[in-house]
Every structure is written in C-alpha cells, then in structure tokens.
Amino acid sequence: MSLYQNMVHVIENKITPLAGAMGSQRHVVAIRDGFLAALPFMIIGSFLLVFIFPPFSPDTQNAFCRGWLDLSLKYREQLMLPFNLSMGVMTFFISVGIGASLGKHYKLDPTMTGLLAFMAFLLVAAPYKDGQISTQYFSGQGIFTALITAIYASEMYALLKRRNITIRLPKEVPTGVARSFEILIPVVVIIATLHPLNLLIESTTGMILPEAIMHLVSPLVAASDSLPAVLISVLICQILWFAGIHGALIVTGIMNPFWMANLSANQAALAAGSALPHVYLQGFWDHYLLIGGVGSTLPLALLLLRSRAVHLRTIGKMGVVPSFFNINEPILFGAPVIMNPVFFLPFTLIPMVNAILAWTATKLGWVAQVVSLTPWTTPAPIGASWAANWAVSPVIMCLVCMVMSALMYYPFLKAYERTLLQQEANDNVKSDTVTAN
C-alpha cells in the first residue's frame, strides 16, 4: 500500500469519525451558534472603530485628517457608545445564542432558555457595588464565563424538564403564561447554585467566578496566540477539508472564544493608545491563511483560467468570482482538489507557509495587527486592511501571500494538467476511431 493510500486510510477510518463526532457534538454546535448570533453586532461594532480611531498620524497637518482626529477626540465618549453596546457586551449575545441553540436541541422554548442562560451569566459576571454594576466582564474577558454559565443553565433546565420537576398549569392557561411558570423552578435552581458558588469563590480566593476562570485559562489564551497554535489549527483544518469534512467549522468553533478574548484585548489597547498585544485573530485567519477560501485557492482559481486543459479552464471560469468572496467549493470539488493526491501537499502546506510569513512580518512590526471583526466573505486584500483599521501594510502582506500561493500551486497544477491533457487526447483518439468505423 502506498504512502498516499495509507494516509487516506487513516483519514477515513480514524480522523473522519472523530471530526464528525466533534463537529456534531451539541455543545460545540451551541458555541458555534452563539458566536454566529453575536456576529452581526460585533462586525458593526468593530466597523465603528475606524471612525473613532481614524488611520492618520497624530501629528498630521492635513486639514481633513486633522479635523477628523480632533472631532473623534472631542466626541470620543459619545462615539464609543455604539461600540460599547455591541462589541463591549458581546457576552450578552453569545449567552443568549448558546442558550437558544441548546434549547432547540432539547426541544425547550429557545427564547426562555436563552434568557435563562443570560441571567446565569449576569448572576456571576455583574458584581454590584456602591450602587453600580461592573461591566468589566461583559466583553472579551467574560467570554469563557459566558460559555460555561450558558451551557450549565441550559443543561440544568433540560435536566429538570426530563425529571418533570416543573410547574404544570391547566391546558386552559395561555401558552405564554404557562411557559413563564414552567421556567420558575430552573430560575430558582440557577440562582441557588451559581450565586452561592460565586460568593464562596470570592471569599476563598478574592476573585469572582469570571476572574477565577480567566486566571485558569490564561495559559491557554496565551498559547492560542502563538505560531505553533496557528500552524496546528490550520493543519487540522486543511487535513479535514482534504477528506471532505468542513474543517473550518470545527477549528473556528474551538478558536472563536480565544480569538474574541484576544480581539477585545487589542481593541482595549487601541483605545488606550498602547501596543496591541495579540496577532492571531480571526482577521489573520481569514485574510492571510484562507485567501479565496480554505487552502488559499484564489491564486489557484486565477491559474486555472489560463490552463490548457478544457476541464480546468472551465472550472476556473466557474470558480474565480466566488473565490474572490472566499467561496471555493467549485474549485475544491470541480477540479477537484479534495481527495486529489496531486494537490495534497500544496493544499496542506500553502496556508502554513502563509502563516509563517504573515506571523513573522507582523511580529517584526512590518504589518499592522487586527483590531476589527470582518465578514468572512470580504475579499482578502480589502478584508485584511479593514481588519487592521484600514492600514496599507496588510494589503501588501496579503498580495505577497497570494503570489507565494500561486508559485507553490503552479508546478502541481501543471503536473495535473498534463495528466488531463493526455486523457483528453486519448478520448479524442477513441472518438475518431469510433467515427471512422
């Protein structure tokens, strides 16, 4: 058995079942749904940063730039309000989204389950002191607390429902009223368990639950923003996709909490005028590693347009426009790239090479870091600039990655093209023979 056949055997029999189970696991799905629910609010909130912190030098003398900077400084507090009520409270949306997703899974009322999850988060993450509620853990610092409390509250609600520990009202009572009474016991149980736990942790450690959780996961958060983390996550994504599994959904589902926590830290540093602490965020993933979609296939799509093989040229025409918006299924399944041994090495290694290039350039200070969340369908050069507050250096980095991707894909594409041309020639010879007979 060849090396490639061995690899396919391992992927099909070992990796595929594990990845499939992980991708459909209810809590992983719920976390993914929670971030998807929060995504529109976070994208718009991030977009506002360019108006609050325009990409101009503080000592610029250009009248337009100077006026914009002075205006943003004068009305900074008012301009920050929409940002603070979107990105600044991302945990609200995430909590409700996770609760609603698990509610659907357990056939509970999604709205009530989402609100219960939201209450569970506020119970431990919104300490009340001197007549004020602290908002410290409403943004990135509270993400892991939001995930844990939302899952706990939803699972507890489902458990009580299964055990018939609920208040049942006569059928004549309106549905809305009956649902309100049905959730009374879960509310009591959540309060009776989480609030004492929070008080106990605070009395013994001096930290409330969100602070303790962040303290525990801080090594993981730090490790998530490293070159090995980038390479491992993109390698897993590429191998799963090569086997026909949507690896990006699995990887982003795992990485999203870390990316959001790090994004919040970068935005706080931007607002404070200090150095940005983190490199590996979703904008880095989307616009340097997945240019044109998983495998960085936009350069491949452009190369296909000039292929001598009719099949590849046709696929290039079909796939090049979607690839500009990071939708590359026509290329992956049409060429095909998926499960095609010719493309295994470039498909797997090109995003890793791009990761090393972009990581090194960013660490050296040549490329601006990510401070905004962008839609994944944004064309790579535009999205890279947008994510870095409209800096120019990410555009150059993105173009460098595209050139490198094209150079690495080219020899493998030519080898595959020769195979197809030979097949086309053989088919033509057979067709001429049949016609002659």
Side-chain angles (χ1 to χ4, degrees):
M1 188 179 290
S2 68
L3 177 63
Y4 176 74
Q5 289 173 325
N6 282 325
M7 181 198 70
V8 171
H9 177 77
V10 171
I11 290 175
E12 289 181 343
N13 294 281
K14 303 293 184 182
I15 297 177
T16 298
L18 178 63
M22 183 181 297
S24 59
Q25 204 276 333
R26 64 182 183 278
H27 299 122
V28 174
V29 172
I31 290 172
R32 185 171 67 235
D33 290 346
F35 280 100
L36 287 174
L39 194 60
F41 307 97
M42 293 192 291
I43 288 175
I44 297 301
S46 295
F47 185 75
L48 296 172
L49 284 178
V50 71
F51 299 104
I52 304 170
F53 303 100
F56 309 132
S57 172
D59 56 358
T60 181
Q61 298 303 313
N62 180 278
F64 174 76
C65 299
R66 185 75 265 159
W68 191 343
L69 283 169
D70 292 342
L71 187 69
S72 68
L73 286 171
K74 182 178 180 180
Y75 297 103
R76 179 66 50 84
E77 187 175 340
Q78 292 89 334
L79 291 171
M80 284 293 290
L81 182 62
F83 172 82
N84 289 332
L85 295 179
S86 51
M87 280 296 299
V89 293
M90 66 170 77
T91 48
F92 291 7
F93 309 116
I94 292 169
S95 294
V96 173
I98 292 173
S101 178
L102 285 173
K104 290 178 183 177
H105 176 81
Y106 288 119
K107 295 180 172 55
L108 303 171
D109 180 72
T111 302
M112 286 298 184
T113 314
L115 292 175
L116 182 66
F118 180 43
M119 186 210 71
F121 170 73
L122 288 179
L123 197 62
V124 299
Y128 184 79
K129 187 176 181 180
D130 299 329
Q132 294 182 330
I133 293 177
S134 172
T135 61
Q136 180 180 357
Y137 298 103
F138 290 176
S139 57
Q141 290 191 61
I143 281 182
F144 295 98
T145 304
L147 304 185
I148 294 169
T149 53
I151 291 172
Y152 170 72
S154 305
E155 290 290 344
M156 183 57 69
Y157 185 12
L159 175 64
L160 294 171
K161 181 77 171 181
R162 285 198 301 271
R163 300 291 177 84
N164 290 319
I165 306 174
T166 184
I167 297 175
R168 296 181 179 276
L169 297 179
K171 294 181 179 180
E172 293 76 17
V173 176
T175 304
V177 176
R179 286 175 180 170
S180 299
F181 276 86
E182 181 184 274
I183 204 170
L184 285 179
I185 292 178
V187 169
V188 171
V189 171
I190 296 303
I191 293 175
T193 53
L194 285 184
H195 188 50
L197 175 63
N198 199 32
L199 294 175
L200 176 63
I201 292 174
E202 186 176 16
S203 65
T204 55
T205 66
M207 299 182 290
I208 61 172
L209 187 58
E211 190 177 0
I213 290 173
M214 281 303 295
H215 181 74
L216 289 173
V217 302
S218 57
L220 288 176
V221 174
S224 71
D225 186 31
S226 64
L227 183 56
V230 180
L231 296 178
I232 291 171
S233 57
V234 75
L235 177 62
I236 292 172
C237 174
Q238 296 305 120
I239 289 177
L240 291 178
W241 253 114
F242 191 77
I245 302 168
H246 203 309
L249 282 180
I250 296 172
V251 172
T252 56
I254 295 170
M255 293 302 301
N256 262 327
F258 299 100
W259 285 342
M260 291 302 112
N262 292 341
L263 178 63
S264 180
N266 273 14
Q267 291 174 340
L270 177 67
S274 55
L276 305 185
H278 299 293
V279 174
Y280 188 34
L281 304 173
Q282 187 165 352
F284 187 97
W285 167 271
D286 285 339
H287 306 307
Y288 298 138
L289 313 187
L290 273 64
I291 302 171
V294 65
S296 289
T297 54
L298 175 57
L300 176 61
L302 295 173
L303 290 174
L304 291 177
L305 292 175
R306 298 180 61 83
S307 174
R308 292 184 296 138
V310 176
H311 169 71
L312 294 180
R313 195 163 59 248
T314 303
I315 294 300
K317 292 176 182 178
M318 291 172 53
V320 68
V321 173
S323 289
F324 275 107
F325 300 95
N326 303 317
I327 300 168
N328 63 345
E329 279 78 2
I331 302 296
L332 294 181
F333 296 100
V337 174
I338 299 302
M339 296 302 290
N340 186 336
V342 175
F343 286 114
F344 175 73
L345 281 178
F347 182 74
T348 305
L349 294 180
I350 283 173
M352 299 178 72
V353 172
N354 287 347
I356 295 171
L357 290 173
W359 177 273
T360 304
T362 305
K363 279 294 187 180
L364 290 173
W366 298 347
V367 177
Q369 290 162 248
V370 173
V371 294
S372 294
L373 188 65
T374 58
W376 65 270
T377 51
T378 309
I382 298 172
S385 179
W386 177 358
N389 209 22
W390 297 107
V392 176
S393 56
V395 176
I396 299 172
M397 187 70 252
C398 185
L399 294 176
V400 169
C401 289
M402 290 179 65
V403 171
M404 287 298 298
S405 300
L407 291 174
M408 292 180 68
Y409 267 123
Y410 184 76
F412 295 92
L413 173 61
K414 297 306 289 184
Y416 185 48
E417 182 183 74
R418 283 193 293 271
T419 301
L420 293 183
L421 288 173
Q422 184 61 47
Q423 290 177 357
E424 289 177 8
N426 291 339
D427 290 343
N428 288 335
V429 169
K430 291 180 181 178
S431 178
D432 291 343
T433 302
V434 171
T435 301
N437 292 334

